[in-house]
Amino acid sequence: MADEPSWVPPGVDTRRANTARVYDYWLGGSHNFLADQDVARAIVAVEPNARAGARANRAFLGRAVRFLAAAGIGQFLDIGSGIPTEGNVHEVAQQADPGARVAYVEIDPVAIAHSQAILGGNENAAIIDADLRDPEKILADPAARRLIDFGQPAGLLLVMVLHFIADAEDPWRIVATLRDALAPGSHLVLAHATNESRPAAAQAAGTVYNRSVSTEIHMRSRAEILRFFEGFELLDPGLVYIPQWRPDSPADVPDDPGKFWVLVGVGRKP
Ligand SMILES: C[S@@+](CC[C@H](N)C(=O)[O-])C[C@H]1O[C@@H](n2cnc3c(N)ncnc32)[C@H](O)[C@@H]1O
């Protein structure tokens, strides 16, 4: 389209809402279009917590990366990393350890193009164009192998992405494949939408989402999400709602932490 900004990669249909860009809109980013904004606002109309939930998730990601860095993890594989915005994993990790390395993986062309733009010249971080549904390809990717020493503990970040994989595509097998490639002492950081805490709100938001966005969302029960930690020791405080995971201050935990209906946790591979 003639009035599109020059950074839009060829072949991107900006008239169709897309997961990465709806999320970017909620986070206050500028890499989204009218179709994405319309859907984001329609979801907020049925679930007013959606925008605050996206921000709370982003804050969790920062806390989890700092936690891993403090545990000595200096290399991260962040799959479904999103459109770069404030508090990107390499920024948080490199604050703790300037030599920290990050391999980002994305399927969305806007996220990939913008990641390439901000990572250009950064020896310690790269974006890989790959699909979480093909973990073998991610593990074999030359940039992943350059940045991640699979003989040493690494952080595997699957934050708000596994709910875009249908049961039929066996997301548990995908996580197990990635886990098996990791060295002992590696950590899994996971955030996943659940239909348990506020089923009516989750269903209403999911219906709007799946009607309008090209990638379907599959919310799961606590038990189904817990299964992703098979082969990991779930660390304290376990699988909890976003604000409950090692809050910076007790005041950050609202009375109803399940209002964001996303379960998060960190596990360690023994
Ligand atoms: C809600 S965003 C989360 C971004 C970031 N992880 C965070 O939590 O702030 C989900 C991202 O996953 C990406 N994604 C969805 N399905 C994917 C797949 N099969 N492989 C790789 N990335 C995927 C989307 O493009 C989107 O950018």
Side-chain angles (χ1 to χ4, degrees), residues 18-24 26-27 54 57-61 78-83 85-89 105-109 111 128-134 138 157-165 169 174 191 209 215-216:
N18 147 297
T19 300
R21 301 194 302 256
V22 168
Y23 185 68
D24 180 65
W26 282 330
L27 290 178
N57 169 67
R58 203 68 199 166
F60 158 71
L61 176 63
D78 181 4
I79 307 180
S81 46
I83 295 173
T85 181
E86 223 171 283
N88 294 304
V89 169
V105 178
E106 255 296 338
I107 197 176
D108 175 65
I128 297 166
D129 178 353
D131 189 328
L132 174 56
R133 287 167 291 194
D134 190 354
I138 295 174
L157 312 184
L158 296 171
V159 181
M160 296 291 272
V161 65
L162 278 168
H163 46 232
F164 296 118
I165 311 285
E169 294 165 317
I174 293 171
Y209 200 92
T215 312
E216 276 209 7

Side-chain angles (χ1 to χ4, degrees), residues 81-119:
S81 46
I83 295 173
T85 181
E86 223 171 283
N88 294 304
V89 169
H90 71 285
E91 293 161 349
V92 177
Q94 288 171 0
Q95 254 166 31
D97 168 7
R101 299 182 307 278
V102 182
Y104 291 109
V105 178
E106 255 296 338
I107 197 176
D108 175 65
V110 171
I112 293 166
H114 193 48
S115 300
Q116 278 165 344
I118 67 155
L119 295 176

Side-chain angles (χ1 to χ4, degrees), residues 47 49 52-53 56-57 59-61 63 160 190-199 202 219-223 225-226 229 234 236-248 252-266:
E47 171 46 296
N49 291 323
N57 169 67
F60 158 71
L61 176 63
R63 296 199 297 282
M160 296 291 272
L190 184 122
H192 194 301
T194 180
N195 45 19
E196 281 201 1
S197 63
R198 295 180 66 233
M219 294 176 204
R220 296 195 165 94
S221 68
R222 168 180 287 273
I225 297 170
L226 212 45
F229 286 97
L234 189 58
D236 273 353
L239 186 65
V240 295
Y241 292 108
I242 298 175
Q244 295 171 306
W245 198 88
R246 297 178 183 257
D248 290 331
D252 294 345
V253 185
D255 291 340
D256 53 345
K259 69 181 183 180
F260 298 137
W261 42 274
V262 171
L263 284 167
V264 304
V266 173

Side-chain angles (χ1 to χ4, degrees), residues 162-212:
L162 278 168
H163 46 232
F164 296 118
I165 311 285
D167 283 7
E169 294 165 317
D170 201 348
W172 296 278
R173 182 201 67 85
I174 293 171
V175 176
T177 301
L178 294 166
R179 178 202 63 213
D180 289 349
L182 297 174
S186 294
H187 288 61
L188 167 67
V189 176
L190 184 122
H192 194 301
T194 180
N195 45 19
E196 281 201 1
S197 63
R198 295 180 66 233
Q203 197 190 352
T207 302
V208 177
Y209 200 92
N210 289 342
R211 198 170 54 209
S212 335

Side-chain angles (χ1 to χ4, degrees), residues 2 10 36 54 66 161 193:
D36 309 302
R66 286 194 296 274
V161 65

